Amino acid sequence: MKDNMQFFLLLLVLVVVLISCIRIVPQAQAVVIERLGRYHATWDAGIHLLVPVLDRPAKRVNLKEQVADFPPQPVITKDNVTMRIDSVVFFVITEPKLYAYGVENPIAAIENLTATTLRNIIGSMDLDTTLTSRETINTEMRSQLDVATDPWGIKVNRVELKNILPPDAIREAMEKQMKAEREKREVITLAQGKKESAVLTAQGNKEAAILNAEAEKQTAILHAEAEKERRIQEAEGQARAIRALKEAEAEGIRLLREAGADDAVIRLRSLETLSKMAEGESTKIIIPSEIQGMAGLLAGLKESVDAVRKA
């Protein structure tokens, strides 16, 4: 009975030791194992067995992408302007063994390396270039940091400059300059707007004047054509009236001639003409002898007619 109890206790101890030797590594993590003080293996995610006494976990490594946000670093530009720049480094551990044995404090090493690299890059640029070349600075820093951290098992994926803080005096000068530039652009925009408005107004007035001139020209042409047509119609009416008058006179003369009164007709027409001339403003009238004889004859006829009427 005592032997069975000892066996059971021994079995229980072995089970406990075996369970304690089982290690589970979570996803996106790695464990660096040392055996007798030397590097032995790197455990990936899954179940692993740790040899008691001989093996020990030296370092647990996070394989996720990590972010290191460093405080602002003082840097000096090429034109001797001191400013403060804080940066953010995105990195991932690719070799747990190198990360565990490459450098004592990897994060502090990255911070110092970032500061020195940033000073070297900014020192080759002036203030204006620094403020307008964020993308260039980010790319250059990522390239240099990636090369420098490769022996540590670290890959730098991205570097971003979060803030660039120039001195207060320079910042105030920049703000004044930006304000002056905005006011200048405003004045230029207003001037261009007035210029374009004046040009459009002039073009509108020109087009309106052209249209008015065309309209007046068309109106004048229509009036002239109407006046011409009126005069033509009046002339045609007068011509027709004269023609009708002449035809009537000719017809009357023809009838008189057919009646055998040619001389009498001529003399009567002469008298009519003289009567019209007498109505004018002339004070002297020359009467032909033939017409005088005709007048005497007419006077005699008139007296004879009057005597007959009295009888």
Side-chain angles (χ1 to χ4, degrees):
M1 186 67 180
K2 185 178 181 180
D3 293 336
N4 291 335
M5 183 64 68
Q6 291 177 353
F7 177 76
F8 179 75
L9 291 175
L10 180 61
L11 182 60
L12 182 60
V13 170
L14 290 176
V15 171
V16 172
V17 171
L18 181 62
I19 292 174
S20 64
C21 292
I22 296 175
R23 295 288 189 271
I24 298 176
V25 179
Q27 184 68 34
Q29 289 188 6
V31 178
V32 178
I33 302 299
E34 292 181 351
R35 176 169 291 178
L36 298 177
R38 298 183 63 181
Y39 171 78
H40 173 65
T42 301
W43 288 352
D44 297 327
I47 299 176
H48 300 274
L49 184 60
L50 183 68
V51 179
V53 181
L54 299 179
D55 296 341
R56 76 174 186 90
K59 194 173 186 65
R60 185 177 293 270
V61 179
N62 185 3
L63 301 180
K64 296 179 182 179
E65 186 174 17
Q66 302 180 51
V67 181
D69 188 359
F70 302 128
Q73 301 292 329
V75 294
I76 301 176
T77 62
K78 186 178 180 180
D79 48 356
N80 296 323
V81 177
T82 302
M83 62 177 62
R84 300 178 66 84
I85 301 177
D86 58 341
S87 57
V88 180
V89 179
F90 299 82
F91 66 93
V92 63
I93 299 171
T94 58
E95 293 290 340
K97 177 183 177 181
L98 297 178
Y99 181 77
Y101 300 105
V103 66
E104 177 64 27
N105 190 339
I107 302 300
I110 293 176
E111 181 179 359
N112 292 326
L113 184 61
T114 301
T116 56
T117 304
L118 184 60
R119 289 190 182 99
N120 292 335
I121 295 174
I122 299 300
S124 62
M125 299 180 178
D126 55 19
L127 177 61
D128 294 337
T129 306
T130 301
L131 296 175
T132 58
S133 304
R134 283 177 175 259
E135 188 64 29
T136 303
I137 297 172
N138 294 339
T139 303
E140 185 66 21
M141 286 188 63
R142 191 206 66 80
S143 177
Q144 295 188 23
L145 289 176
D146 189 33
V147 173
T149 57
D150 189 62
W152 305 338
I154 299 173
K155 178 175 177 56
V156 177
N157 293 331
R158 191 165 65 255
V159 177
E160 297 290 342
L161 299 183
K162 192 164 66 172
N163 289 313
I164 298 179
L165 305 173
D168 295 339
I170 294 179
R171 186 165 59 251
E172 292 177 359
M174 292 172 59
E175 291 176 354
K176 291 180 181 179
Q177 182 180 1
M178 292 176 61
K179 182 179 179 181
E181 288 292 334
R182 287 194 296 268
E183 292 177 352
K184 177 182 177 181
R185 288 195 296 269
E186 180 182 2
V187 172
I188 292 174
T189 302
L190 292 175
Q192 289 178 348
K194 291 181 179 179
K195 177 181 177 182
E196 292 176 358
S197 176
V199 170
L200 292 176
T201 302
Q203 290 179 351
N205 294 335
K206 178 181 177 182
E207 293 176 358
I210 293 173
L211 292 176
N212 291 333
E214 290 291 337
E216 292 177 357
K217 180 180 178 182
Q218 293 295 330
T219 304
I221 292 173
L222 293 176
H223 287 170
E225 291 179 353
E227 183 66 18
K228 178 181 177 182
E229 185 67 21
R230 184 183 65 79
R231 291 181 180 180
I232 290 173
Q233 290 179 0
E234 288 181 356
E236 289 178 352
Q238 292 178 358
R240 287 194 296 269
I242 293 172
R243 187 181 301 112
L245 180 61
K246 295 300 182 181
E247 289 177 354
E249 291 178 354
E251 182 66 19
I253 292 172
R254 185 182 65 78
L255 292 175
L256 289 174
R257 286 179 177 178
E258 288 179 356
D262 290 342
D263 293 338
V265 169
I266 293 171
R267 291 172 181 173
L268 286 174
R269 294 300 299 272
S270 299
L271 288 175
E272 291 176 357
T273 303
L274 288 174
S275 64
K276 292 180 179 180
M277 292 173 61
E279 292 176 357
E281 296 180 356
S282 299
T283 56
K284 295 181 179 180
I285 300 175
I286 300 173
I287 301 175
S289 58
E290 295 83 357
I291 296 176
Q292 292 178 359
M294 185 64 184
L297 178 61
L298 290 175
L301 289 174
K302 184 179 179 181
E303 293 177 355
S304 300
V305 171
D306 291 337
V308 170
R309 286 179 179 178
K310 292 179 179 179

